[in-house]
Amino acid sequence: MNEMLIAQALSLDVMFTELVRHAADNYTKWPTSAARYARLALRAQANCRASVETVARADRAKQRARGRGDA
């Protein structure tokens, strides 16, 4: 499960980068399209963060179950 979430986070990070680039490239000619690209980029970034946080929570739960994580 963690490997899948990490792969998803990496893919979303690439999407974020590409969408931001498209937004920047289109800003002067098509500001409405650029805004849409920017919104999609922010959604990709938020989903990337959510995936990383899920992996972190799962790892902390696993450590607690093993008796190693008291933090």
Side-chain angles (χ1 to χ4, degrees):
M1 178 76 119
N2 280 359
E3 292 84 16
M4 181 183 68
L5 287 169
I6 291 169
Q8 178 181 0
L10 291 171
S11 296
L12 288 164
D13 184 53
V14 169
M15 287 176 63
F16 169 75
T17 302
E18 284 296 311
L19 289 164
V20 166
R21 187 181 60 77
H22 283 299
D25 289 346
N26 291 311
Y27 182 72
T28 55
K29 288 185 180 180
W30 299 287
T32 303
S33 294
R36 289 181 183 150
Y37 280 125
R39 276 194 299 275
L40 287 171
L42 293 174
R43 286 177 62 191
Q45 185 183 46
N47 287 328
C48 176
R49 180 185 49 82
S51 295
V52 170
E53 286 177 350
T54 301
V55 170
R57 276 195 304 268
D59 284 346
R60 283 193 303 267
K62 189 188 302 183
Q63 288 177 354
R64 285 187 189 118
R66 290 181 183 163
R68 288 192 234 157
D70 291 356

